[in-house]
Amino acid sequence: MGKKSVLILCGDYVEDWEIMVPFQALQAYGISVDAVCPGKKSGDICRTAVHQLSGHQTYSESRGHNFTLNATFDEIEASKYDGLILPGGRAPEYLAMNDSVVDLVSKFSNSGKPIASICHGQLILAAAGLVKNRRCTAYPPVKPALVAAGSHWVEPETMSECVVDGNLITGATYEGHPEFIRLFVKALGGTISGSDKKILFLCGDFMEDYEVMVPFQALLALGCQVDAICPKKVSGDICPTAIHDFEGDQTYSEKPGHDFTLTETFEGLNPSTYEALVIPGGRAPEYLALDEKVLALVKHFMEAGKPVASICHGQQILSAAGVLKVKEYLQGRKCTAYPAVKLNVLLAGATWLEPDPIDRCFTDGNLVTGAAWPGHPEFISQLMSLLGIQVSI
């Protein structure tokens, strides 16, 4: 059987995490993913929206990353794909009025192929008449449209609720991505092995939005136990994130991202119970690299030979910890990073690997390094390989 191929339907102001997490996670698992938008072609941009609950009567919205499409809507053939994903955000409310979109979704439904829809994406399902007498959930304000379309509404007890009815998988919000993605992989005929691993994320305020959540949820979707910690914070605390994007300036732009919830307390944590460490980039690493407890944590994983995966500016921490030049590596560990971090890496004694193109990632022994979030599929895949995790479809 050949490689599975999946289509993701996008639109301007699709929710930031709800497009990128499944897009990159599925690629990391070895699945081909095309992202399209009506009226746009491969290489065009869809702007995204950051939706989150911020203490108001409804969610707040701010600008997210720019998402680059990799296929042209008018050229796709539904018969060539094995499944369809409908992200949420504001895009579905107008995509649901597009006859070409409704026709495309109906083709997937008529063929019995898996359709996974999350949050407001279910508005498209309702417009296509696909929810009648089907059990489904969604973000709660979508309930009236789904009930009017004849669905058997399932009230989400939490915002991570997911429901399966035949070939239809529905989720309430991006909080449910781990189960949502896992159910979709299963519907594609996939099996996951070797995922009984415990993985730690080293976080800080204004780490990069994608660089924490994409690998975090991708690993959870595999069935790993994944914890996130931050110095001077406890389980349940929030780390605000930063959206770093490439918008034509001499360096990346920065916008506020989602709030990320920590799952464990930094103080008193026993790192020996974890089998791997992930270090996101963003602005957090430049000050985390000054924390001796952070450096000791990183040294534990490197000296024990456990997998360490660090991306973008995360290598500032590796450099400060002095783990990039060790006796066994006379010329230093082979390492890449965001190009502006090259100085840190070279001064730390590492052998620099040019990230050309920017999505290149490298493995040297137990160390995986990547240059920026476009490289997540390879970054996650290389970490999976070190951990012995496989997705077979």
Side-chain angles (χ1 to χ4, degrees), residues 15-83:
E15 212 288 327
D16 190 52
W17 277 347
E18 288 174 5
I19 178 62
M20 189 56 95
V21 174
F23 181 76
Q24 292 192 316
L26 293 171
Q27 290 181 75
Y29 304 161
I31 298 168
S32 175
V33 187
D34 283 343
V36 296
C37 173
K40 300 194 181 191
K41 62 184 185 300
S42 178
D44 285 351
I45 295 296
C46 277
R47 299 188 186 279
T48 72
V50 171
H51 284 177
Q52 63 180 1
L53 296 174
S54 303
H56 306 291
Q57 291 181 331
T58 188
Y59 52 85
S60 62
E61 177 176 302
S62 57
R63 277 282 307 281
H65 294 82
N66 296 318
F67 181 87
T68 303
L69 303 168
N70 64 346
T72 300
F73 184 87
D74 291 340
E75 297 176 356
I76 59 172
E77 296 180 31
S79 61
K80 293 185 177 180
Y81 295 95
D82 301 294

Side-chain angles (χ1 to χ4, degrees), residues 8 51 65 73 81 86 125 136 181 206 214 274 284 299 336:
I8 299 186
H51 284 177
H65 294 82
F73 184 87
Y81 295 95
L86 304 177
L125 299 178
C136 63
I181 295 169
F206 300 108
V214 174
Y274 292 90
K299 288 177 182 177
T336 195

Side-chain angles (χ1 to χ4, degrees), residues 100-152:
S100 296
V101 167
V102 171
D103 179 64
L104 175 68
V105 176
S106 296
K107 287 179 180 177
F108 278 88
S109 179
N110 293 338
S111 67
K113 295 177 180 178
I115 299 175
S117 182
I118 200 161
C119 200
H120 285 73
Q122 286 80 305
L123 291 171
I124 298 174
L125 299 178
L130 303 183
V131 297
K132 188 173 182 179
N133 297 321
R134 307 288 293 274
R135 295 177 67 253
C136 63
T137 193
Y139 186 63
V142 181
K143 174 181 177 180
L146 292 179
V147 171
S151 77
H152 298 304

Side-chain angles (χ1 to χ4, degrees), residues 197-201 215-216 219-220 224-228 263 274:
K197 303 297 190 298
K198 195 174 179 184
I199 302 167
L200 187 64
F201 274 62
F216 186 81
L219 292 165
L220 282 172
C224 299
Q225 179 180 331
V226 188
D227 284 326
T263 64
Y274 292 90

